[in-house]
Amino acid sequence: MPDLSTDAFFLAQCQQLGAQAAEQGESPVGAMVVRAGRVLAAATEATQSMHTITAHAELLALQAAREVLGHPNLSDCTLYSTHEPCVMCAYAIRYHGIGRVVYEQGSPYLGGASASGPILTTTQVPPHWAPPPTVKQWPSADEAAPTSAGQA
């Protein structure tokens, strides 16, 4: 009988989820949230089928775990994923206070644990991505903010 508390066991389940995602034309990513050896939530990547870039397996698993528990505090949980969570997912992981993250495949471009630098403007991204946008903070240091009508 497999040891249900091992990282290898849960990562193997994530691999199965990732294979399911790939069969559906998605990126091969599977994720699950586990608490005290019990799977609270499991999800596959669904960006294509849901028509939204935010349908990452990690985000979907976090949302489902939150619904199961009825609150956003996931500090006593572990998030397992086939891939290193991206910076978007990393923000949600931090927001929900996940206590532990275990992943298999790193993501050197945009991984939430290994990437560095300004994600919005870096050119160190996957080759199929568009060039970085022009970015401007308003007001800039040399520009004054517009005043409201009637104010001096």
Side-chain angles (χ1 to χ4, degrees):
M1 181 167 168
D3 181 357
L4 300 181
S5 66
T6 66
D7 292 341
F9 176 80
F10 292 118
L11 288 171
Q13 288 187 321
C14 287
Q15 284 293 338
Q16 292 174 354
L17 292 168
Q20 290 172 13
E23 288 171 5
Q24 297 168 0
E26 301 284 353
S27 294
V29 182
M32 49 191 358
V33 177
V34 176
R35 179 183 187 202
R38 177 177 161 241
V39 176
L40 296 177
T44 62
E45 192 85 355
T47 58
Q48 300 300 316
S49 62
M50 293 179 73
H51 307 289
T52 177
I53 190 66
T54 60
H56 287 199
E58 298 90 344
L59 292 180
L60 297 174
L62 288 171
Q63 291 169 356
R66 180 180 172 152
E67 289 176 18
V68 167
L69 294 176
H71 58 77
N73 181 358
L74 304 178
S75 60
D76 57 351
C77 297
T78 297
L79 176 91
Y80 289 93
S81 181
T82 54
H83 292 72
E84 178 181 358
C86 72
V87 293
M88 176 179 64
C89 293
Y91 176 86
I93 289 165
R94 296 296 302 270
Y95 176 84
H96 287 93
I98 288 283
R100 188 165 175 260
V101 176
V102 180
Y103 65 88
E104 287 186 298
Q105 185 174 333
S107 180
Y109 292 116
L110 299 172
S114 63
S116 63
I119 299 303
L120 191 58
T121 57
T122 185
T123 57
Q124 301 299 310
V125 296
H128 65 278
W129 280 35
T134 300
V135 178
K136 179 179 182 180
Q137 180 180 355
W138 181 262
S140 64
D142 59 334
E143 296 172 311
T147 59
S148 297
Q151 291 183 336

